[in-house]
Every structure is written in structure tokens, then in C-alpha cells.
Amino acid sequence: MPLVTSTEMFKSVYGKCAVGAFNVNNMEIIQGIVEAAKEEQAPLILQVSAGARKYAKHVYLMKLVEAAVEDTGLPICLHLDHGEDFEVCKSCIDGGFTSVMIDGSKLPFAENIAVTKKVVEYAHSKGVVVEAELGRLAGVEDDVNVSAKDSSYTVPEQAAEFVQKTGCDSLAIAIGTSHGAYKFKGDAKLDFERLQTIASLLPGFPLVLHGASTVLPEFVTKCNQYGGEIKGAQGVPEEMLRQAGTMGICKINIDTDLRLAMTASVREYLALNPADFDPRQYLKPAREAIKNMVKHKIKDVLNCSNMLID
């Protein structure tokens, strides 16, 4: 089975649940995610950031994802997360990705439209789908670093105009989430009224939620217990993500929770087994931690178990 686009996935889940888009950087992360999705028979998007491409190289990530498809038989969408310009998006399209994100959110509205439309025209000519972004999320993730003062919520009327003028296939919107492990100061809050308005102006159109890790407390606690210094971390409550999945959010991005699950497991293993130095010994439980966390997300947060499309 070849890699697939996200188009049919989004059609099948719209208004009911969301597809998980999990960031990948190495073999163990990919294995843990796909094993969870296979057991849950869930649609799956594996996404690669600019940082991941620098760390592991495009060709290695491609071969690992191809191996995951061959091993599991899952219809997997391979997505570029936060492509910064046309050239990066083109490189991934030409290199086998089935979906790319062009992130022109830092640009003025008209320039964002122009670069997004350019990527859409090229991608569609190659059978690849495009996610765009309007509005800016605060926080840090790999090469994306936006201060709170530079962040901005998505304007609903602009979203409708943007989709109409660019022809993009999905749109990442800003309603209060942020990148990284420190998403809120005080109570967590998402602007569901804004989401409802955007969805009403774009009926049936797939919307995307970035910065949507829950920052699960058990992993933060374990990291800190075994020498970490992750103080005051706070993510998006799971009930808010479940609600968003019924309101037009079709894709929910998860990265920080993967990092925390893996790091907490590695820290614990090395602390309890100081004589071990074989990476397989501590990466095996780390892979299992990722698998269990992703299964939880699929079943209890995304609600997309048994939603595979033939």
C-alpha cells in the first residue's frame, strides 16, 4: 500500500472526531506510533518538521515511513509540518510526501495568500494536498518561535476569504493553543466561539489545531522525579480537544507529548539501571511508552479508533 493523502480521512471524520498528526524524528518514535494506530485501526498522519529533516535527513525519514507502511499495511499520510517557504514544500513534494504545510502566518495577509496559492498549484499538479495557516500560535517548536506579543487569533472572515483565494485543502487556525510544554498561564482556555464561527463560514472544510499536546502530568512528574527540570508545564485539557473534534477540527497535532513520554521513560530506565549502556535497553521501553500514550490519544481524545478508510 502506498502513502496516502489526508483528504478521505478528513471527509470520514468531519464533525465526529479528529485524526492524530504525530511528529516523528527516529525509528522508535515511528514504530511506537504506527503500532498503536494498527491496534486501534485508526487513520494516521505522520508529520516531519524542519528540525526533524535536519536531524535525521529526508531520505532516512522517508525510508522509515515506507517501512512502517510495509510492516503495518496502514494507509499513512506523510506530512510536512511548518514548511517555511515554497522551496521547502517543493522539496518535500518532489521527495515523496503526500501532504505539505506552507506556513505563511508570519507574512501579511496578501503575501500569505500569494505563497500559499503558489504551493497549492504545484502540489495539486503532483497529487499532493496542502495545509495552510492563518493566525499565529505563540510558543517554541523546532524552528518555530513566536512570542506571546506576536501571536494572533484567526479572524473568521479572513479565513473564509483565504481558503477561497488559495484553494488550500485544510487550514490551521489560532484559537488559543500554543507550541511547546508551557501553553497557558493560569486556566486553560480555547476560543470555541471563534472556532464555531470559522466552521460556519467554511462548512465541511477541514480545520487544523496546532500546539495541541495535553502535556500529560504523569510524564512531567516522571521526568522531574528522575532529574528533569520541567516546572509549571501545562497543556490543552483533553476534554477541550474532544470538543474541538466535533466542531470542524479534523487534524490535531501532537509532538510535545511524544517527547515527554520518551524522555520520561529513558530518564527512569537510566536512573534505575545505571550499569546499562546498550541503547536498545532504554529505547525499548521508550518505544512502548510512546505506543501506550498514542493509543490513549486515539481512543480517549481523538476518538478515531476503528475509523480506517479502505
Short mmCIF file of all heavy atoms in Angstrom, two decimals, residues 239-305:
data_model
loop_
_atom_site.label_atom_id
_atom_site.label_comp_id
_atom_site.label_asym_id
_atom_site.label_seq_id
_atom_site.Cartn_x
_atom_site.Cartn_y
_atom_site.Cartn_z
N GLU A 239 -10.55 17.25 27.44
CA GLU A 239 -11.97 17.48 27.12
C GLU A 239 -12.13 18.59 26.08
O GLU A 239 -13.06 18.57 25.27
CB GLU A 239 -12.77 17.82 28.38
CG GLU A 239 -12.35 19.05 29.13
CD GLU A 239 -11.31 18.77 30.20
OE1 GLU A 239 -10.64 17.71 30.13
OE2 GLU A 239 -11.15 19.62 31.11
N MET A 240 -11.20 19.55 26.07
CA MET A 240 -11.26 20.62 25.07
C MET A 240 -10.92 20.08 23.68
O MET A 240 -11.52 20.49 22.68
CB MET A 240 -10.30 21.75 25.45
CG MET A 240 -10.72 22.53 26.66
SD MET A 240 -9.64 23.96 26.94
CE MET A 240 -10.44 24.68 28.40
N LEU A 241 -9.96 19.15 23.62
CA LEU A 241 -9.61 18.56 22.33
C LEU A 241 -10.75 17.70 21.80
O LEU A 241 -11.04 17.71 20.61
CB LEU A 241 -8.33 17.72 22.48
CG LEU A 241 -7.08 18.51 22.91
CD1 LEU A 241 -5.91 17.56 23.11
CD2 LEU A 241 -6.73 19.57 21.87
N ARG A 242 -11.40 16.97 22.69
CA ARG A 242 -12.56 16.17 22.26
C ARG A 242 -13.64 17.07 21.70
O ARG A 242 -14.27 16.75 20.67
CB ARG A 242 -13.09 15.34 23.43
CG ARG A 242 -12.23 14.13 23.78
CD ARG A 242 -12.92 13.21 24.75
NE ARG A 242 -12.96 13.78 26.10
CZ ARG A 242 -12.04 13.56 27.03
NH1 ARG A 242 -10.99 12.79 26.77
NH2 ARG A 242 -12.15 14.10 28.23
N GLN A 243 -13.89 18.20 22.36
CA GLN A 243 -14.91 19.13 21.87
C GLN A 243 -14.53 19.70 20.52
O GLN A 243 -15.37 19.79 19.61
CB GLN A 243 -15.11 20.26 22.88
CG GLN A 243 -16.19 21.27 22.47
CD GLN A 243 -16.41 22.35 23.50
OE1 GLN A 243 -15.94 22.23 24.66
NE2 GLN A 243 -17.08 23.41 23.13
N ALA A 244 -13.27 20.08 20.36
CA ALA A 244 -12.81 20.64 19.09
C ALA A 244 -13.01 19.66 17.95
O ALA A 244 -13.36 20.05 16.82
CB ALA A 244 -11.34 21.04 19.19
N GLY A 245 -12.84 18.37 18.23
CA GLY A 245 -13.01 17.35 17.20
C GLY A 245 -14.43 17.19 16.71
O GLY A 245 -14.65 16.56 15.67
N THR A 246 -15.38 17.75 17.42
CA THR A 246 -16.78 17.70 16.97
C THR A 246 -17.22 19.00 16.30
O THR A 246 -18.36 19.12 15.88
CB THR A 246 -17.72 17.42 18.16
OG1 THR A 246 -17.70 18.55 19.06
CG2 THR A 246 -17.31 16.17 18.90
N MET A 247 -16.29 19.95 16.18
CA MET A 247 -16.64 21.29 15.70
C MET A 247 -15.89 21.68 14.43
O MET A 247 -15.75 22.87 14.15
CB MET A 247 -16.37 22.32 16.80
CG MET A 247 -17.20 22.11 18.05
SD MET A 247 -16.79 23.31 19.36
CE MET A 247 -17.32 24.86 18.61
N GLY A 248 -15.41 20.69 13.67
CA GLY A 248 -14.73 21.00 12.42
C GLY A 248 -13.23 20.85 12.45
O GLY A 248 -12.58 20.93 11.40
N ILE A 249 -12.65 20.63 13.64
CA ILE A 249 -11.22 20.32 13.71
C ILE A 249 -11.04 18.87 13.30
O ILE A 249 -11.49 17.96 13.98
CB ILE A 249 -10.66 20.55 15.13
CG1 ILE A 249 -10.74 22.03 15.52
CG2 ILE A 249 -9.22 20.04 15.22
CD1 ILE A 249 -9.84 22.96 14.73
N CYS A 250 -10.36 18.65 12.17
CA CYS A 250 -10.18 17.30 11.63
C CYS A 250 -8.78 16.74 11.87
O CYS A 250 -8.57 15.54 11.69
CB CYS A 250 -10.45 17.29 10.13
SG CYS A 250 -12.17 17.62 9.70
N LYS A 251 -7.85 17.60 12.23
CA LYS A 251 -6.45 17.19 12.43
C LYS A 251 -5.93 17.86 13.69
O LYS A 251 -6.00 19.10 13.82
CB LYS A 251 -5.61 17.59 11.22
CG LYS A 251 -4.10 17.35 11.34
CD LYS A 251 -3.43 17.69 10.00
CE LYS A 251 -1.91 17.59 10.04
NZ LYS A 251 -1.28 18.81 10.59
N ILE A 252 -5.45 17.05 14.62
CA ILE A 252 -4.89 17.57 15.86
C ILE A 252 -3.43 17.18 15.95
O ILE A 252 -3.09 15.99 15.89
CB ILE A 252 -5.68 17.05 17.08
CG1 ILE A 252 -7.09 17.70 17.10
CG2 ILE A 252 -4.94 17.33 18.37
CD1 ILE A 252 -7.96 17.26 18.25
N ASN A 253 -2.55 18.17 16.06
CA ASN A 253 -1.11 17.93 16.07
C ASN A 253 -0.61 17.60 17.47
O ASN A 253 -0.95 18.29 18.43
CB ASN A 253 -0.37 19.18 15.56
CG ASN A 253 -0.50 19.36 14.06
OD1 ASN A 253 -1.36 18.76 13.41
ND2 ASN A 253 0.36 20.19 13.51
N ILE A 254 0.23 16.57 17.55
CA ILE A 254 0.78 16.13 18.83
C ILE A 254 2.28 15.88 18.67
O ILE A 254 2.69 15.02 17.89
CB ILE A 254 0.07 14.86 19.33
CG1 ILE A 254 -1.43 15.15 19.56
CG2 ILE A 254 0.72 14.34 20.62
CD1 ILE A 254 -2.27 13.92 19.79
N ASP A 255 3.07 16.62 19.42
CA ASP A 255 4.53 16.47 19.38
C ASP A 255 5.10 16.45 20.79
O ASP A 255 5.79 15.51 21.19
CB ASP A 255 5.16 17.59 18.56
CG ASP A 255 6.66 17.40 18.35
OD1 ASP A 255 7.18 16.33 18.70
OD2 ASP A 255 7.31 18.32 17.82
N THR A 256 4.80 17.47 21.58
CA THR A 256 5.37 17.57 22.93
C THR A 256 5.07 16.33 23.76
O THR A 256 5.95 15.85 24.50
CB THR A 256 4.84 18.82 23.63
OG1 THR A 256 5.28 19.99 22.92
CG2 THR A 256 5.33 18.91 25.06
N ASP A 257 3.87 15.78 23.67
CA ASP A 257 3.53 14.59 24.45
C ASP A 257 4.40 13.40 24.06
O ASP A 257 4.73 12.56 24.90
CB ASP A 257 2.05 14.24 24.30
CG ASP A 257 1.16 15.13 25.15
OD1 ASP A 257 1.65 15.67 26.17
OD2 ASP A 257 -0.02 15.30 24.81
N LEU A 258 4.78 13.30 22.79
CA LEU A 258 5.69 12.24 22.36
C LEU A 258 7.06 12.43 23.00
O LEU A 258 7.67 11.47 23.50
CB LEU A 258 5.83 12.25 20.84
CG LEU A 258 4.58 11.90 20.02
CD1 LEU A 258 4.78 12.33 18.57
CD2 LEU A 258 4.30 10.42 20.09
N ARG A 259 7.55 13.64 22.99
CA ARG A 259 8.86 13.93 23.56
C ARG A 259 8.89 13.62 25.06
O ARG A 259 9.84 13.04 25.58
CB ARG A 259 9.22 15.40 23.33
CG ARG A 259 9.28 15.80 21.86
CD ARG A 259 9.65 17.26 21.71
NE ARG A 259 9.60 17.69 20.31
CZ ARG A 259 10.12 18.81 19.85
NH1 ARG A 259 10.76 19.61 20.68
NH2 ARG A 259 10.03 19.14 18.59
N LEU A 260 7.82 14.03 25.75
CA LEU A 260 7.76 13.81 27.19
C LEU A 260 7.67 12.33 27.53
O LEU A 260 8.32 11.85 28.47
CB LEU A 260 6.56 14.56 27.79
CG LEU A 260 6.70 16.08 27.85
CD1 LEU A 260 5.37 16.71 28.27
CD2 LEU A 260 7.80 16.49 28.83
N ALA A 261 6.85 11.59 26.77
CA ALA A 261 6.71 10.15 27.03
C ALA A 261 8.04 9.45 26.86
O ALA A 261 8.44 8.62 27.68
CB ALA A 261 5.66 9.55 26.10
N MET A 262 8.75 9.77 25.78
CA MET A 262 10.02 9.13 25.51
C MET A 262 11.07 9.52 26.55
O MET A 262 11.78 8.67 27.10
CB MET A 262 10.50 9.49 24.11
CG MET A 262 11.74 8.73 23.67
SD MET A 262 12.08 8.98 21.92
CE MET A 262 12.73 7.37 21.48
N THR A 263 11.18 10.80 26.84
CA THR A 263 12.20 11.28 27.76
C THR A 263 11.96 10.77 29.18
O THR A 263 12.91 10.39 29.88
CB THR A 263 12.25 12.81 27.74
OG1 THR A 263 12.55 13.25 26.42
CG2 THR A 263 13.32 13.34 28.69
N ALA A 264 10.70 10.76 29.61
CA ALA A 264 10.39 10.26 30.95
C ALA A 264 10.80 8.80 31.09
O ALA A 264 11.38 8.40 32.11
CB ALA A 264 8.90 10.42 31.24
N SER A 265 10.53 8.00 30.06
CA SER A 265 10.88 6.59 30.10
C SER A 265 12.39 6.38 30.12
O SER A 265 12.91 5.56 30.89
CB SER A 265 10.26 5.87 28.91
OG SER A 265 10.64 4.51 28.88
N VAL A 266 13.09 7.13 29.28
CA VAL A 266 14.55 7.00 29.23
C VAL A 266 15.18 7.42 30.56
O VAL A 266 16.07 6.74 31.09
CB VAL A 266 15.13 7.82 28.07
CG1 VAL A 266 16.66 7.88 28.15
CG2 VAL A 266 14.71 7.21 26.73
N ARG A 267 14.71 8.54 31.10
CA ARG A 267 15.24 9.01 32.38
C ARG A 267 15.03 7.96 33.48
O ARG A 267 15.93 7.67 34.28
CB ARG A 267 14.58 10.32 32.79
CG ARG A 267 15.12 11.56 32.09
CD ARG A 267 14.56 12.82 32.71
NE ARG A 267 15.18 14.00 32.13
CZ ARG A 267 16.34 14.51 32.51
NH1 ARG A 267 17.02 13.92 33.48
NH2 ARG A 267 16.82 15.59 31.94
N GLU A 268 13.83 7.41 33.52
CA GLU A 268 13.52 6.41 34.55
C GLU A 268 14.42 5.18 34.39
O GLU A 268 15.00 4.69 35.38
CB GLU A 268 12.05 5.99 34.46
CG GLU A 268 11.66 4.92 35.46
CD GLU A 268 10.23 4.45 35.27
OE1 GLU A 268 9.79 4.33 34.09
OE2 GLU A 268 9.55 4.19 36.28
N TYR A 269 14.54 4.69 33.18
CA TYR A 269 15.33 3.47 32.96
C TYR A 269 16.79 3.68 33.36
O TYR A 269 17.38 2.84 34.05
CB TYR A 269 15.23 3.01 31.51
CG TYR A 269 15.95 1.69 31.31
CD1 TYR A 269 15.26 0.49 31.45
CD2 TYR A 269 17.31 1.64 31.03
CE1 TYR A 269 15.92 -0.73 31.32
CE2 TYR A 269 17.98 0.44 30.90
CZ TYR A 269 17.28 -0.74 31.05
OH TYR A 269 17.94 -1.95 30.94
N LEU A 270 17.37 4.77 32.93
CA LEU A 270 18.79 5.00 33.21
C LEU A 270 19.03 5.23 34.71
O LEU A 270 20.06 4.82 35.25
CB LEU A 270 19.29 6.19 32.40
CG LEU A 270 19.38 5.96 30.89
CD1 LEU A 270 19.81 7.24 30.18
CD2 LEU A 270 20.33 4.82 30.54
N ALA A 271 18.07 5.87 35.37
CA ALA A 271 18.22 6.08 36.82
C ALA A 271 18.15 4.77 37.58
O ALA A 271 18.87 4.57 38.57
CB ALA A 271 17.14 7.04 37.31
N LEU A 272 17.28 3.86 37.13
CA LEU A 272 17.08 2.60 37.85
C LEU A 272 18.07 1.51 37.41
O LEU A 272 18.21 0.50 38.10
CB LEU A 272 15.64 2.10 37.64
CG LEU A 272 14.54 3.02 38.17
CD1 LEU A 272 13.16 2.43 37.87
CD2 LEU A 272 14.70 3.27 39.67
N ASN A 273 18.71 1.74 36.26
CA ASN A 273 19.65 0.74 35.73
C ASN A 273 20.96 1.42 35.33
O ASN A 273 21.32 1.46 34.15
CB ASN A 273 19.04 0.02 34.52
CG ASN A 273 17.74 -0.67 34.85
OD1 ASN A 273 17.71 -1.81 35.31
ND2 ASN A 273 16.62 0.02 34.59
N PRO A 274 21.69 1.96 36.31
CA PRO A 274 22.87 2.78 35.99
C PRO A 274 24.00 2.02 35.33
O PRO A 274 24.88 2.65 34.70
CB PRO A 274 23.30 3.30 37.37
CG PRO A 274 22.73 2.34 38.35
CD PRO A 274 21.44 1.88 37.76
N ALA A 275 24.00 0.68 35.42
CA ALA A 275 25.09 -0.08 34.79
C ALA A 275 24.84 -0.36 33.31
O ALA A 275 25.77 -0.75 32.59
CB ALA A 275 25.28 -1.42 35.53
N ASP A 276 23.61 -0.16 32.84
CA ASP A 276 23.29 -0.46 31.44
C ASP A 276 23.78 0.66 30.53
O ASP A 276 23.63 1.85 30.84
CB ASP A 276 21.78 -0.63 31.26
CG ASP A 276 21.28 -1.97 31.78
OD1 ASP A 276 22.13 -2.75 32.26
OD2 ASP A 276 20.07 -2.23 31.71
N PHE A 277 24.31 0.27 29.38
CA PHE A 277 24.74 1.27 28.40
C PHE A 277 24.35 0.89 26.97
O PHE A 277 24.76 1.55 26.02
CB PHE A 277 26.27 1.48 28.48
CG PHE A 277 27.07 0.22 28.32
CD1 PHE A 277 27.44 -0.22 27.07
CD2 PHE A 277 27.46 -0.52 29.44
CE1 PHE A 277 28.19 -1.39 26.91
CE2 PHE A 277 28.21 -1.67 29.29
CZ PHE A 277 28.58 -2.12 28.03
N ASP A 278 23.55 -0.15 26.80
CA ASP A 278 23.06 -0.55 25.49
C ASP A 278 21.81 0.29 25.17
O ASP A 278 20.80 0.19 25.86
CB ASP A 278 22.70 -2.04 25.52
CG ASP A 278 22.23 -2.56 24.16
OD1 ASP A 278 21.93 -1.74 23.26
OD2 ASP A 278 22.15 -3.80 24.01
N PRO A 279 21.85 1.13 24.13
CA PRO A 279 20.69 1.97 23.81
C PRO A 279 19.40 1.19 23.62
O PRO A 279 18.30 1.70 23.90
CB PRO A 279 21.11 2.68 22.51
CG PRO A 279 22.59 2.69 22.55
CD PRO A 279 22.98 1.40 23.22
N ARG A 280 19.50 -0.05 23.16
CA ARG A 280 18.28 -0.85 22.96
C ARG A 280 17.55 -1.08 24.28
O ARG A 280 16.32 -1.22 24.29
CB ARG A 280 18.63 -2.18 22.30
CG ARG A 280 19.14 -2.05 20.88
CD ARG A 280 19.68 -3.37 20.34
NE ARG A 280 20.86 -3.80 21.10
CZ ARG A 280 21.56 -4.89 20.80
NH1 ARG A 280 21.22 -5.63 19.77
NH2 ARG A 280 22.62 -5.21 21.52
N GLN A 281 18.30 -1.13 25.38
CA GLN A 281 17.68 -1.41 26.67
C GLN A 281 16.79 -0.27 27.14
O GLN A 281 15.76 -0.51 27.76
CB GLN A 281 18.77 -1.69 27.72
CG GLN A 281 19.60 -2.92 27.44
CD GLN A 281 18.74 -4.18 27.35
OE1 GLN A 281 17.84 -4.39 28.16
NE2 GLN A 281 19.02 -5.01 26.35
N TYR A 282 17.18 0.97 26.84
CA TYR A 282 16.32 2.08 27.29
C TYR A 282 15.39 2.61 26.19
O TYR A 282 14.38 3.23 26.48
CB TYR A 282 17.13 3.23 27.91
CG TYR A 282 18.25 3.80 27.07
CD1 TYR A 282 18.01 4.75 26.09
CD2 TYR A 282 19.58 3.43 27.31
CE1 TYR A 282 19.03 5.30 25.35
CE2 TYR A 282 20.62 3.97 26.58
CZ TYR A 282 20.34 4.91 25.60
OH TYR A 282 21.36 5.45 24.86
N LEU A 283 15.71 2.32 24.92
CA LEU A 283 14.82 2.75 23.85
C LEU A 283 13.62 1.82 23.68
O LEU A 283 12.57 2.24 23.20
CB LEU A 283 15.60 2.86 22.53
CG LEU A 283 16.58 4.04 22.46
CD1 LEU A 283 17.36 3.99 21.15
CD2 LEU A 283 15.85 5.37 22.60
N LYS A 284 13.77 0.58 24.09
CA LYS A 284 12.63 -0.34 24.00
C LYS A 284 11.47 0.10 24.90
O LYS A 284 10.34 0.22 24.43
CB LYS A 284 13.08 -1.77 24.35
CG LYS A 284 11.96 -2.80 24.20
CD LYS A 284 12.48 -4.21 24.49
CE LYS A 284 11.35 -5.23 24.37
NZ LYS A 284 11.84 -6.60 24.64
N PRO A 285 11.70 0.38 26.19
CA PRO A 285 10.58 0.89 27.00
C PRO A 285 10.12 2.28 26.56
O PRO A 285 8.94 2.63 26.72
CB PRO A 285 11.15 0.91 28.42
CG PRO A 285 12.62 0.87 28.28
CD PRO A 285 12.89 0.11 27.02
N ALA A 286 11.03 3.07 26.00
CA ALA A 286 10.62 4.38 25.48
C ALA A 286 9.65 4.22 24.32
O ALA A 286 8.64 4.94 24.23
CB ALA A 286 11.86 5.16 25.04
N ARG A 287 9.92 3.28 23.45
CA ARG A 287 9.02 2.99 22.33
C ARG A 287 7.66 2.52 22.85
O ARG A 287 6.61 2.90 22.32
CB ARG A 287 9.66 1.93 21.43
CG ARG A 287 8.82 1.51 20.24
CD ARG A 287 9.61 0.57 19.34
NE ARG A 287 10.03 -0.63 20.06
CZ ARG A 287 10.94 -1.49 19.59
NH1 ARG A 287 11.54 -1.27 18.44
NH2 ARG A 287 11.27 -2.56 20.29
N GLU A 288 7.69 1.69 23.88
CA GLU A 288 6.44 1.20 24.47
C GLU A 288 5.65 2.33 25.12
O GLU A 288 4.42 2.36 25.04
CB GLU A 288 6.74 0.10 25.50
CG GLU A 288 5.53 -0.62 26.03
CD GLU A 288 4.86 -1.52 24.99
OE1 GLU A 288 5.47 -1.79 23.93
OE2 GLU A 288 3.73 -1.97 25.25
N ALA A 289 6.35 3.26 25.74
CA ALA A 289 5.68 4.41 26.35
C ALA A 289 4.98 5.26 25.30
O ALA A 289 3.85 5.73 25.50
CB ALA A 289 6.69 5.25 27.13
N ILE A 290 5.65 5.45 24.16
CA ILE A 290 5.03 6.19 23.06
C ILE A 290 3.80 5.46 22.55
O ILE A 290 2.74 6.05 22.34
CB ILE A 290 6.05 6.43 21.94
CG1 ILE A 290 7.04 7.51 22.36
CG2 ILE A 290 5.35 6.83 20.63
CD1 ILE A 290 8.15 7.77 21.38
N LYS A 291 3.93 4.16 22.35
CA LYS A 291 2.79 3.37 21.87
C LYS A 291 1.59 3.51 22.80
O LYS A 291 0.47 3.76 22.34
CB LYS A 291 3.19 1.90 21.75
CG LYS A 291 2.04 0.98 21.38
CD LYS A 291 2.49 -0.48 21.38
CE LYS A 291 1.31 -1.43 21.19
NZ LYS A 291 1.74 -2.84 21.20
N ASN A 292 1.80 3.35 24.09
CA ASN A 292 0.69 3.42 25.03
C ASN A 292 0.08 4.81 25.08
O ASN A 292 -1.15 4.96 25.19
CB ASN A 292 1.17 3.00 26.42
CG ASN A 292 1.51 1.53 26.50
OD1 ASN A 292 0.99 0.72 25.73
ND2 ASN A 292 2.39 1.16 27.42
N MET A 293 0.92 5.84 25.01
CA MET A 293 0.40 7.20 25.02
C MET A 293 -0.41 7.49 23.77
O MET A 293 -1.49 8.08 23.84
CB MET A 293 1.57 8.19 25.14
CG MET A 293 1.15 9.65 25.35
SD MET A 293 0.77 10.52 23.80
CE MET A 293 2.40 10.59 23.09
N VAL A 294 0.06 7.04 22.60
CA VAL A 294 -0.65 7.27 21.35
C VAL A 294 -1.98 6.50 21.33
O VAL A 294 -3.01 7.00 20.87
CB VAL A 294 0.22 6.90 20.13
CG1 VAL A 294 -0.59 6.95 18.84
CG2 VAL A 294 1.41 7.86 20.04
N LYS A 295 -1.98 5.28 21.86
CA LYS A 295 -3.25 4.53 21.97
C LYS A 295 -4.25 5.30 22.81
O LYS A 295 -5.45 5.37 22.47
CB LYS A 295 -3.00 3.15 22.58
CG LYS A 295 -2.37 2.15 21.64
CD LYS A 295 -2.39 0.73 22.21
CE LYS A 295 -3.80 0.19 22.26
NZ LYS A 295 -3.82 -1.27 22.58
N HIS A 296 -3.79 5.87 23.90
CA HIS A 296 -4.68 6.68 24.75
C HIS A 296 -5.23 7.87 23.96
O HIS A 296 -6.44 8.16 24.03
CB HIS A 296 -3.91 7.16 25.98
CG HIS A 296 -4.55 8.31 26.68
ND1 HIS A 296 -5.77 8.20 27.35
CD2 HIS A 296 -4.17 9.61 26.82
CE1 HIS A 296 -6.09 9.37 27.86
NE2 HIS A 296 -5.14 10.24 27.54
N LYS A 297 -4.38 8.53 23.23
CA LYS A 297 -4.83 9.68 22.44
C LYS A 297 -5.89 9.27 21.42
O LYS A 297 -6.92 9.92 21.26
CB LYS A 297 -3.64 10.33 21.72
CG LYS A 297 -2.62 10.98 22.62
CD LYS A 297 -3.12 12.25 23.24
CE LYS A 297 -2.02 12.94 24.03
NZ LYS A 297 -2.48 14.17 24.68
N ILE A 298 -5.61 8.18 20.71
CA ILE A 298 -6.53 7.72 19.67
C ILE A 298 -7.89 7.34 20.26
O ILE A 298 -8.94 7.73 19.73
CB ILE A 298 -5.91 6.53 18.92
CG1 ILE A 298 -4.73 7.00 18.05
CG2 ILE A 298 -6.96 5.82 18.05
CD1 ILE A 298 -3.93 5.87 17.44
N LYS A 299 -7.87 6.60 21.34
CA LYS A 299 -9.12 6.08 21.92
C LYS A 299 -9.88 7.13 22.71
O LYS A 299 -11.10 7.26 22.58
CB LYS A 299 -8.82 4.90 22.85
CG LYS A 299 -8.41 3.63 22.17
CD LYS A 299 -8.44 2.44 23.14
CE LYS A 299 -7.45 2.62 24.27
NZ LYS A 299 -7.42 1.44 25.18
N ASP A 300 -9.17 7.89 23.55
CA ASP A 300 -9.83 8.70 24.56
C ASP A 300 -9.86 10.19 24.25
O ASP A 300 -10.58 10.93 24.92
CB ASP A 300 -9.12 8.50 25.92
CG ASP A 300 -9.09 7.04 26.34
OD1 ASP A 300 -10.09 6.34 26.09
OD2 ASP A 300 -8.07 6.61 26.91
N VAL A 301 -9.09 10.64 23.28
CA VAL A 301 -9.03 12.06 22.98
C VAL A 301 -9.47 12.35 21.55
O VAL A 301 -10.39 13.13 21.30
CB VAL A 301 -7.61 12.63 23.21
CG1 VAL A 301 -7.57 14.12 22.94
CG2 VAL A 301 -7.14 12.33 24.63
N LEU A 302 -8.85 11.66 20.60
CA LEU A 302 -9.20 11.85 19.18
C LEU A 302 -10.50 11.13 18.83
O LEU A 302 -11.21 11.53 17.91
CB LEU A 302 -8.06 11.34 18.29
CG LEU A 302 -6.71 12.02 18.50
CD1 LEU A 302 -5.59 11.23 17.85
CD2 LEU A 302 -6.72 13.44 17.98
N ASN A 303 -10.79 10.05 19.54
CA ASN A 303 -11.99 9.23 19.29
C ASN A 303 -12.05 8.68 17.88
O ASN A 303 -13.14 8.57 17.29
CB ASN A 303 -13.27 10.04 19.59
CG ASN A 303 -13.43 10.33 21.07
OD1 ASN A 303 -13.09 9.50 21.90
ND2 ASN A 303 -13.92 11.52 21.40
N CYS A 304 -10.89 8.32 17.31
CA CYS A 304 -10.86 7.86 15.92
C CYS A 304 -10.50 6.39 15.78
O CYS A 304 -10.10 5.95 14.70
CB CYS A 304 -9.94 8.73 15.09
SG CYS A 304 -8.20 8.67 15.57
N SER A 305 -10.66 5.60 16.84
CA SER A 305 -10.46 4.16 16.73
C SER A 305 -11.46 3.60 15.74
O SER A 305 -12.61 4.04 15.66
CB SER A 305 -10.64 3.50 18.09
OG SER A 305 -9.68 3.94 19.02
#
